Amino acid sequence: MISKSPRPLTVLLLAGCASTAFAQDAIRPEQAARHVGQNGMVCGKVEKTRYAENSEGQPTFLHMGGAFPRHTFSARIPQDQRDKFRPSPEELEGKDVCVVGTIQRDASRAEIAVRAPGDIKLATIK
């Protein structure tokens, strides 16, 4: 019997300069809305980074799962965490990352509110 569901996404997380890495199943950005209310790890390419300087709280968004404004997932970095990121949020654009946290709904998209830089890791997606 042939399964019609997509195979699990496996990622290799690269934790800064740490010498160890591990593989783990993850949620694709386009599937994140199915996991609202759950803790999870959403992995994919950062299509666009946007610093919302004129919005309340001045968050930075990492848009994944398609080009802005038709993306399916965002990671929201609060202003007070923005300067703690190395690489900076803007340097993550075009890179594969994994975001860990509680998946929430924001309008018609899924979102994770990032609490600290450790909630986002560079990834090699297989």
Side-chain angles (χ1 to χ4, degrees):
M1 182 174 167
I2 298 174
S3 172
K4 291 187 179 183
S5 63
R7 73 175 223 259
L9 177 66
T10 302
V11 296
L12 180 65
L13 295 178
L14 306 173
C17 5
S19 60
T20 59
F22 60 95
Q24 180 177 336
D25 286 343
I27 300 165
R28 296 177 189 275
E30 52 276 358
Q31 297 172 336
R34 298 179 193 159
H35 299 274
V36 169
Q38 301 173 13
N39 285 326
M41 180 171 66
V42 178
C43 298
K45 181 180 177 183
V46 177
E47 301 288 343
K48 182 75 176 162
T49 303
R50 184 172 68 91
Y51 179 32
E53 293 179 83
N54 297 322
S55 296
E56 182 180 339
Q58 297 181 318
T60 298
F61 295 95
L62 306 180
H63 299 302
M64 300 163 61
F68 178 82
R70 292 191 170 94
H71 58 288
T72 58
F73 175 81
S74 292
R76 181 173 33 89
I77 301 168
Q79 170 62 27
D80 66 344
Q81 294 295 311
R82 183 178 157 73
D83 292 337
K84 297 177 183 177
F85 278 82
R86 300 291 177 263
S88 72
E90 287 76 15
E91 291 174 293
L92 295 174
E93 192 168 307
K95 302 223 182 330
D96 292 319
V97 301
C98 291
V99 184
V100 179
T102 302
I103 300 169
Q104 304 166 349
R105 172 131 351 243
D106 178 44
S108 62
R109 297 172 185 87
E111 174 181 278
I112 290 179
V114 175
R115 296 176 305 176
D119 291 348
I120 298 177
K121 303 278 189 225
L122 291 175
T124 301
I125 299 179
K126 293 182 182 181

